[in-house]
Amino acid sequence: MARIFYITQIEIDHGAVRCLPQECDAARIRRPLLVTDPGVRAAGVFDRVVQALGGQAHAVYDQTPSNPTEAAVRAAVEVFKRDRCDGLIAVGGGSSIDLAKGVAIAATHDGPMKTYATIEGGSPKITAAVAPLIAVPTTAGTGSEVARGAIVIVDDGRKLGFHSWHLVPKAAILDPELTLGLPPLLTAATGMDAIAHCMETFMAPAVNPPADGIALDGLQRGWGHIERATRNGQDRDARWQMMSASMQGAMAFQKGLGCVHSLSHSLGGVNPKLHHGTLNALFLPAVVHFNASAESIQRDRRLQRMAQAMGLAQEDGTGQTVAGAIRDMNARLGLPRGLAALGVAPEVFDRVIAGAMADHCHKTNPRLASTDDYRRMLHESL
């Protein structure tokens, strides 16, 4: 049986942040904790969100790390409880939104974070008691604003996923104007994150035709506009299109992801300084090539359909056309050419492989990867 569910209230338009007070009313949030990071605050984007609140009482936690940690969740929970907050507004990229989801759990549920991790069997333990959350993304990449999951590095060093429909934000406010000042390299990395979501969820074997359609449309928008958004950060249409692609990738990835994210999650746990979107961009070609022979990929002509959405020449079914186009796009965007450029050496591969095999995305790939398969993908991505 296929289970299909869509998803939450979404406001997408230039100036949509003005909707924030009414969305707080709808979610019955009277005193929110605003969760953000130092960069968003320094750029002045955070101030625009505060202004949109129109004087509503709130508290602030602005120390979100680039990869959310359980320690940061605890620190934010202290502010949440000290100031008697009744909900959350996440302002930032996927890190701030995921951290806010962690706070939504930890402020209302007992025990360490790993208790609620997906691979620990914790999803059913996340209840409707979670604090309500509104997401205001300031990047176009992760799509966490419409997703049921969060990624947090727990105290034992593992980078784990937390999944529950209770974690879906009550509203997602997508205002492309908040992304106009995003630097080119971050625009490229987050944009490739969105494209990876659209492609990897489209390759996932679960049955969900609406998700497939949303993913292909998101891929077409993202692929067609990422270079414009990167070259000219003030291109309002390109920013709108990338924000939509980001949202669509996450709306679709309830289908499941795969080896790209298994590897990115694991390597991001080994080295939390590495950017998740950049890692996805680097792993995507090797995973496309690995997936090409999967029965579901061949049967449903999924490589050919992705190639068409990307405006590429006919894909022969081996993955070479799509994989090569991704490598070329990464280079044109100025992203690193491989893991070695990020300082990743083969000495860490055993740890990365062990984490990838245990990751929640491992089993939803169209081909079940072995340790040797993961090692080949890592070497191919060097």
Side-chain angles (χ1 to χ4, degrees):
M1 178 181 293
R3 176 170 292 173
I4 299 171
F5 179 77
Y6 284 95
I7 284 178
T8 193
Q9 176 77 21
I10 300 169
E11 304 283 354
I12 178 169
D13 199 5
H14 297 285
V17 72
R18 292 191 296 269
C19 298
L20 190 53
Q22 69 191 53
E23 296 299 345
C24 284
D25 287 343
R28 298 182 180 179
I29 298 174
R30 301 290 178 258
R31 188 178 182 87
L33 173 66
L34 274 60
V35 176
T36 191
D37 66 60
V40 170
R41 193 154 199 182
V45 177
F46 180 78
D47 292 339
R48 296 178 61 185
V49 176
V50 172
Q51 289 171 1
L53 279 173
Q56 181 174 349
H58 63 275
V60 175
Y61 178 80
D62 62 1
Q63 294 301 308
T64 301
S66 56
N67 282 280
T69 63
E70 187 170 357
V73 168
R74 278 196 299 271
V77 167
E78 287 182 11
V79 180
F80 184 94
K81 292 183 174 180
R82 182 195 69 203
D83 289 12
R84 298 181 180 180
C85 297
D86 58 4
L88 297 133
I89 300 174
V91 183
S95 297
S96 292
I97 300 172
D98 281 8
L99 185 75
K101 290 178 181 178
V103 175
I105 299 170
T108 54
H109 294 67
D110 294 329
M113 286 292 294
K114 67 179 181 181
T115 305
Y116 305 97
T118 302
I119 65 169
E120 299 283 351
S123 292
K125 300 175 185 176
I126 302 173
T127 72
V130 297
L133 167 64
I134 295 171
V136 185
T138 63
T139 64
T142 70
S144 188
E145 66 273 7
V146 296
R148 72 188 190 277
I151 305 295
V152 177
I153 300 174
V154 297
D155 286 340
D156 63 17
R158 291 180 295 165
K159 193 172 188 179
L160 300 184
F162 300 79
H163 297 83
S164 169
W165 289 114
H166 298 305
L167 292 178
V168 177
K170 301 299 182 186
I173 299 177
L174 278 59
D175 187 339
E177 291 181 3
L178 301 181
T179 71
L180 293 177
L182 205 64
L185 194 59
L186 191 54
T187 299
T190 55
M192 285 305 298
D193 192 16
I195 287 169
H197 291 159
C198 291
M199 296 182 74
E200 192 164 37
T201 197
F202 183 71
M203 290 186 286
V207 176
N208 193 325
D212 285 343
I214 291 168
L216 276 183
D217 184 80
L219 173 58
Q220 184 175 22
R221 292 177 190 274
W223 192 263
H225 292 88
I226 187 170
E227 289 185 88
R228 277 176 50 188
T230 299
R231 287 196 305 267
N232 177 11
Q234 299 299 311
D235 187 327
R236 291 167 61 85
D237 178 60
R239 290 295 193 182
W240 192 100
Q241 298 289 348
M242 292 309 300
M243 187 153 268
S244 183
S246 174
M247 173 265 292
Q248 289 176 250
M251 288 181 75
F253 70 43
Q254 62 171 287
K255 244 188 92 182
L257 292 165
C259 291
V260 171
H261 281 75
S262 297
L263 289 165
S264 293
H265 292 157
S266 182
L267 181 52
V270 171
N271 184 350
K273 294 181 180 180
L274 297 176
H275 186 268
H276 175 72
T278 301
L279 294 180
N280 281 349
L282 297 185
F283 285 132
L284 190 55
V287 175
V288 166
H289 185 252
F290 173 72
N291 285 346
S293 62
E295 179 183 355
S296 61
I297 298 291
Q298 293 288 329
R299 181 189 65 234
D300 298 330
R301 301 185 72 253
R302 292 190 179 269
L303 289 173
Q304 291 87 343
R305 291 160 72 187
M306 288 194 299
Q308 183 178 16
M310 297 160 73
L312 304 178
Q314 183 64 36
E315 165 65 57
D316 63 5
T318 66
Q320 293 298 335
T321 299
V322 172
I326 296 165
R327 291 191 184 95
D328 291 345
M329 178 66 82
N330 288 341
R332 292 199 301 274
L333 295 173
L335 293 172
R337 289 190 173 272
L339 297 176
L342 298 175
V344 178
E347 286 74 16
V348 303
F349 283 1
D350 286 343
R351 291 172 60 194
V352 175
I353 292 167
M357 293 289 290
D359 189 77
H360 63 275
C361 296
H362 168 67
K363 292 184 179 179
T364 53
N365 198 68
R367 283 183 68 191
L368 194 62
S370 67
T371 56
D372 288 340
D373 292 327
Y374 275 126
R375 194 175 303 277
R376 280 192 293 271
M377 285 184 264
L378 284 163
H379 278 288
E380 192 174 335
S381 304
L382 267 176

